[in-house]
Amino acid sequence: MTPRTLTWGGVRTAGNKLTTPLHPDDYLRLLNPLWSERELRGRVEEVIPETDDAATLVIRPGWGWRYDHRAGQYVGIGVQVDGKFQWRSYSVSSPPRRRGRTISITVRAMPEGKLSAHLVNGLEPGTIVRLASPSGDFVLPDPPPAKMLFLVGGSGITPVMAMLRTLDRRQTMPDVVLHYSSPTAERMIFRDELAELESRHESLTVHRLHTDTEGMLSLSGLDGLCVDWRERETWACGPAPMLDAVETHWERAGLDERLHLERFSLELGGDGGEGGTITFQTTGKTAEVDGATTVLEAGEAAGVGMPYGCRMGICHTCTLTLVSGTVRDLRNGNEFAQPNEQVQTCVTVPVGACTLDI
Amino acid sequence: MAIADVKEYTHLTEEEVEQLGRELDAIRAEVEESRCDADAAYINRMIRVQRGLAAAGRATLLAGLHSKKTRTPAWIAGASLLGVAKILENMEIGHNVMHGQWDWMNDPEIHSSNWEWDTAQPAEQWKHSHNYVHHQFTNVLGHDNDIGYGVLRMAREQKWHPYYLGQPVYNALLAGLFQWGVALHDLDLEAIRKGKKDPVEMKRQLRQIGRKGRNQVIKDYLVYPALSGKQWKSTLKANATANLARNLWSYMIIFCGHFPDGALHFTEEELEDETRAEWYLRQMLGSANFEGGRLLHILSGSLGFQIEHHLFPDLPSNRYPEIAVKVRALCEKYDIPYTTGPLHNQYGQALRTIMKLSLPNSMTSSDKPEPPSPSIDRGRRTDAERPTRRTETGAYYRKQTA
């Protein structure tokens, strides 16, 4: 007789018979909100102020979370504000640790950002939030390249911090140059920790630029800052104009292969498609939107019963059939223009008029 | 009688009807704007309480079996807790979540596209037959399959047939087996009989019903009894009792929505070029409320506010009491009937209609306010034959099966 192993997952699957049409998790989460795999969730354990307008949230994820994110990736966080879950993505600033119990994200309150301000100032430890799995290609390769350059502006430091912490923890800090622009010294997130890392690792050089007094980074002066930048694998993260300039500069140098960019275009919008009129075929509703409003948001605003899930392009629950017209994927600029193409409404914006089957 | 033109019936001018529509739109907008934490807390509390009751009911039943002394009280308590849990789950939670009343919260766990309820009908089919067909074509003869549910003759305009002499019996069966009747509702047995049903769609629906129904039966009549060991019969009986109580209760509440005297029927002429305001008016004239305390309203899924529910099926149910005050004031202002009464009264009238209409019209008098119009014998409409849908009836989304 072969011994059968009783797994926790197996027990829960068997439990479905007792709780159908619900899952055992739907009951278990009433005992402890983290005891459910239905939706990834986490409890805010600590809110650590970093600067006047930025804070690190230490979150203990619940069941179903795998601590296998790669340094530099971002996670989605959903917080209930006025009864409604609002989702944003933030870089994980803690290094990946398989046996970890918490993850941390660092959030800067944006002047117009209702949710970021809420996260920084209003979130009490103990709050239950929703999480979306780590995602993104802005990651540290393993093993890391011998020479690295980080070009960082403002809260663009958060994914880079996860990479630096990982290199530090593994004791594999290669030759790293970090250029960090921030309006003032006070607004620099992680400034003390960076100083400490710098003192511990001879191979780490940190340039600090205070743009309020010293002006913006001029890429023409890059040779003066980092002579061998052409030989380095480069990661850049920060405001869109800075990234545009970096991208052009590297392209001109014929080095775009060595450049990794992280754009927070989903939050900032602005540089997506041109916008246009979306027609929802079955419901007969239409929406006139700009290039920063996703098809999903437009449909919801127009009162269409849109299917949706993670709202960040991961789960594909929101996928609908494009009947005609063109939509553009905000994440990579890919265009979908074939009739009957399946498009993820949560990350696409219309390019001119388009029609969806719902 | 069935109304072919609500404007004419209510003696309102076209402008007055449109003005009424704008006032109702304003009520809707106001509630949409003011949805907040407190509303989210309400549905979350309902769900917590319901799951707590269900778990407590099952636990009480299992725990009470061990000693002879506790068996009977545990059986009574367990079956009651379970029955109340099932009622709450079907009415205030499932029905309202699947209308999309809580979709605004952006919570995939309390969303019309994901919700599945503890009854035999698959959620997806319910969203079609109820949320779409019934709520859009409310009380339009031939279009609204909820008039008599394909079993009963509930309008004088429906042609009499000797089959209807058995109506008191069919009614009793429908009440006791309500969840199974509802399960078959979207299949549309009449369309199948007339050969109008797409066989592919029929097969798909049957498979879906089979799967859902099987899981429901296995849970209540196999697994829990099996866990009770020797006392399996006692658990089985308790579960059957809870299901029966839920069936009778939901049947009664649902029959109070459109069948008391005063709730009107309409002909398909009314649908021609119907404006949004006229749709509102049809909902108000076709629905009936009942009165009661907060607890009664919660246990009936807020369907005591049937008029408000039909005007705004996707606004959160906990807001219906405040909406009702405004709707009632509008009815007075525009001199439109607002049909309401105590629960027993409303159900009594529905039951009287069921009994009366089992006989030919010549043998009975009309309870409805106007003289009867000529009888009609129109079959049910398919989706293709129905006018385009109105989206204010809430979310209905059928996954593409290419």
Side-chain angles (χ1 to χ4, degrees):
Chain A
M1 218 169 98
T2 47
R4 273 192 294 174
T5 45
L6 196 63
T7 61
W8 183 224
V11 171
R12 294 216 323 282
T13 309
N16 280 344
K17 291 270 172 280
L18 297 173
T19 57
T20 183
L22 297 176
H23 299 285
D25 290 12
D26 292 317
Y27 288 90
L28 290 170
R29 77 164 168 84
L30 302 180
L31 303 175
N32 179 340
L34 300 185
W35 290 352
S36 173
E37 272 190 34
R38 275 285 295 265
E39 293 293 317
L40 293 176
R41 48 187 109 216
R43 183 194 290 122
V44 176
E45 301 269 277
E46 239 184 307
V47 181
I48 307 165
E50 297 284 353
T51 65
D52 285 347
D53 59 354
T56 293
L57 307 180
V58 180
I59 298 169
R60 170 185 291 246
W63 286 359
W65 185 267
R66 290 186 186 83
Y67 294 86
D68 58 359
H69 70 273
R70 300 178 64 190
Q73 285 191 312
Y74 55 83
V75 293
I77 175 168
V79 181
Q80 218 166 7
V81 183
D82 292 334
K84 182 175 180 174
F85 275 98
Q86 309 268 5
W87 283 86
R88 294 292 185 279
S89 307
Y90 292 103
S91 298
V92 182
S93 50
S94 56
R97 214 172 290 178
R98 205 158 296 148
R99 313 195 128 269
R101 313 218 42 180
T102 58
I103 56 159
S104 58
I105 57 172
T106 303
V107 180
R108 164 158 282 162
M110 297 295 187
E112 298 282 307
K114 196 176 156 197
L115 187 68
S116 59
H118 181 77
L119 289 174
V120 172
N121 306 316
L123 217 52
E124 295 281 326
T127 308
I128 298 297
V129 295
R130 294 291 170 86
L131 297 171
S133 301
S135 160
D137 306 322
F138 189 75
V139 292
L140 187 70
D142 193 16
K147 286 179 150 196
M148 304 170 78
L149 169 63
F150 292 111
L151 289 174
V152 169
S155 54
I157 187 69
T158 52
V160 171
M161 199 64 209
M163 297 191 205
L164 292 176
R165 283 171 174 167
T166 303
L167 294 170
D168 173 55
R169 195 169 55 80
R170 293 188 194 147
Q171 292 296 322
T172 54
M173 187 71 72
D175 180 353
V176 174
V177 175
L178 165 64
H179 181 88
Y180 185 1
S181 301
S182 177
T184 62
E186 288 71 42
R187 280 178 53 93
M188 280 195 161
I189 310 175
F190 307 128
R191 53 183 185 275
D192 297 338
E193 191 179 343
L194 282 171
E196 197 217 313
L197 281 177
E198 205 180 5
S199 68
R200 266 196 287 135
H201 297 279
E202 266 180 34
S203 55
L204 172 67
T205 315
V206 182
H207 296 294
R208 295 172 181 83
L209 182 69
H210 304 132
T211 53
D212 272 4
T213 50
E214 299 164 59
M216 297 289 179
L217 164 72
S218 160
L219 289 170
S220 55
L222 198 59
D223 285 312
L225 273 173
C226 178
V227 188
D228 56 354
W229 65 272
R230 289 178 184 79
E231 295 161 31
R232 289 174 184 268
E233 198 84 5
T234 302
W235 281 262
C237 185
M242 171 194 142
L243 296 183
D244 291 341
V246 169
E247 198 169 19
T248 320
H249 198 72
W250 256 254
E251 267 168 23
R252 279 202 196 123
L255 291 168
D256 32 340
E257 292 281 296
R258 320 199 74 174
L259 179 67
H260 310 271
L261 285 179
E262 176 85 315
R263 287 181 186 275
F264 295 131
S265 55
L266 266 181
E267 276 108 64
L268 303 174
D271 64 337
E274 287 100 297
T277 308
I278 311 175
T279 306
F280 302 93
Q281 196 178 38
T282 324
T283 49
K285 297 213 164 169
T286 58
E288 184 79 41
V289 296
D290 60 20
T293 308
T294 61
V295 176
L296 176 62
E297 288 166 346
E300 286 176 336
V304 181
M306 302 287 282
Y308 75 87
C310 68
R311 310 186 80 86
M312 53 188 300
I314 295 168
C315 71
H316 295 264
T317 311
C318 67
T319 302
L320 288 181
T321 307
L322 179 69
V323 179
S324 65
T326 306
V327 297
R328 183 181 294 156
D329 193 321
L330 272 179
R331 296 167 297 174
N332 47 25
N334 287 348
E335 288 194 346
F336 299 86
Q338 304 203 16
N340 289 326
E341 224 170 342
Q342 299 291 308
V343 295
Q344 285 175 272
T345 59
C346 72
V347 288
T348 50
V349 293
V351 182
C354 65
T355 303
L356 289 146
D357 184 14
I358 183 165
Chain B
M1 68 142 210
I3 314 280
D5 187 337
V6 290
K7 285 193 300 289
E8 209 172 281
Y9 170 78
T10 55
H11 311 293
L12 292 177
T13 64
E14 210 158 292
E15 291 78 59
E16 281 168 331
V17 174
E18 292 308 312
Q19 178 58 33
L20 169 66
R22 280 192 292 276
E23 297 201 41
L24 287 166
D25 276 341
I27 295 176
R28 179 186 180 84
E30 203 184 311
V31 175
E32 278 180 347
E33 287 294 304
S34 61
R35 289 177 299 207
C36 65
D37 276 337
D39 300 305
Y42 173 79
I43 188 64
N44 278 301
R45 188 165 63 240
M46 280 300 136
I47 290 172
R48 258 197 324 273
V49 167
Q50 188 275 325
R51 289 180 190 166
L53 286 171
R58 303 279 188 194
T60 308
L61 283 170
L62 290 177
L65 295 171
H66 299 295
S67 114
K68 247 192 179 155
K69 238 166 122 190
T70 57
R71 215 166 277 165
T72 310
W75 190 94
I76 294 170
S80 311
L81 285 168
L82 194 57
V84 172
K86 279 177 182 274
I87 284 169
L88 201 54
E89 199 273 347
N90 277 197
M91 308 296 281
E92 183 67 349
I93 302 174
H95 169 268
N96 291 335
V97 169
M98 291 191 298
H99 261 296
Q101 293 186 0
W102 306 98
D103 287 6
W104 62 274
M105 296 197 308
N106 255 350
D107 185 340
E109 286 180 81
I110 312 177
H111 196 273
S112 62
S113 62
N114 297 334
W115 195 268
E116 192 51 89
W117 55 349
D118 182 27
T119 174
Q121 191 182 36
E124 186 194 301
Q125 294 187 28
W126 182 85
K127 278 184 272 184
H128 177 257
S129 62
H130 177 86
N131 214 355
Y132 163 50
V133 178
H134 169 61
H135 271 270
Q136 178 157 351
F137 304 102
T138 313
N139 288 20
V140 177
L141 295 162
H143 284 258
D144 181 0
N145 301 348
D146 277 23
I147 302 173
Y149 299 89
V151 183
L152 305 176
R153 179 171 179 258
M154 294 303 293
R156 298 185 77 81
E157 290 81 0
Q158 284 174 290
K159 215 169 158 184
W160 185 83
H161 183 276
Y163 157 87
Y164 291 115
L165 287 171
Q167 188 143 298
V169 179
Y170 317 144
N171 175 57
L173 286 172
L174 181 64
L177 299 169
F178 197 59
Q179 68 159 328
W180 300 102
V182 171
L184 300 177
H185 193 35
D186 198 38
L187 262 182
D188 200 345
L189 299 176
E190 192 176 315
I192 294 172
R193 201 171 56 232
K194 290 186 176 165
K196 276 163 79 178
K197 183 93 185 177
D198 171 14
V200 179
E201 175 66 0
M202 181 171 77
K203 257 196 198 155
R204 195 186 72 85
Q205 287 188 320
L206 278 171
R207 263 201 309 275
Q208 216 178 21
I209 297 167
R211 243 190 336 265
K212 180 79 196 290
R214 192 179 60 219
N215 284 339
Q216 293 295 115
V217 168
I218 287 175
K219 174 176 71 171
D220 281 340
Y221 300 116
L222 266 171
V223 182
Y224 279 103
L227 286 176
S228 315
K230 274 190 196 152
Q231 297 299 321
W232 63 272
K233 260 191 204 158
S234 157
T235 301
L236 191 141
K237 271 187 210 156
N239 292 352
T241 306
N243 278 325
L244 178 68
R246 183 266 319 267
N247 283 352
L248 293 174
W249 178 255
S250 45
Y251 151 84
M252 183 177 72
I253 295 300
I254 285 159
F255 269 67
C256 286
H258 302 284
F259 303 128
D261 301 354
L264 303 175
H265 290 122
F266 309 91
T267 64
E268 64 182 341
E269 283 76 24
E270 168 55 29
L271 287 174
E272 280 167 27
D273 305 315
E274 187 183 54
T275 66
R276 182 183 167 84
E278 287 163 4
W279 177 83
Y280 271 143
L281 195 49
R282 176 157 58 83
Q283 303 306 322
M284 294 166 94
L285 297 173
S287 309
N289 283 7
F290 58 80
E291 296 152 355
R294 194 75 195 107
L295 187 64
L296 176 72
H297 281 305
I298 290 172
L299 286 176
S300 53
S302 301
L303 294 182
F305 299 105
Q306 188 75 237
I307 297 170
E308 290 72 21
H309 173 60
H310 262 265
L311 289 169
F312 312 114
D314 57 346
L315 291 184
S317 60
N318 63 322
R319 308 292 290 272
Y320 285 154
E322 67 189 79
I323 296 173
V325 176
K326 295 176 186 168
V327 170
R328 205 165 180 161
L330 279 183
C331 282
E332 267 166 41
K333 179 174 163 189
Y334 288 89
D335 199 18
I336 303 165
Y338 185 87
T339 309
T340 187
L343 180 61
H344 58 87
N345 215 41
Q346 303 300 83
Y347 180 67
Q349 292 178 357
L351 192 63
R352 187 176 60 191
T353 301
I354 295 170
M355 297 305 159
K356 272 176 130 176
L357 293 188
S358 60
L359 300 170
N361 284 352
S362 57
M363 296 171 69
T364 60
S365 63
S366 173
D367 305 318
K368 308 283 173 173
E370 296 279 319
S373 53
S375 87
I376 54 158
D377 186 22
R378 297 194 184 90
R380 291 177 175 191
R381 302 303 183 272
T382 63
D383 280 359
E385 292 163 340
R386 293 186 168 100
T388 39
R389 75 169 293 226
R390 265 175 210 283
T391 43
E392 59 265 35
T393 56
Y396 153 62
Y397 175 70
R398 174 162 290 172
K399 286 193 184 88
Q400 302 290 319
T401 43

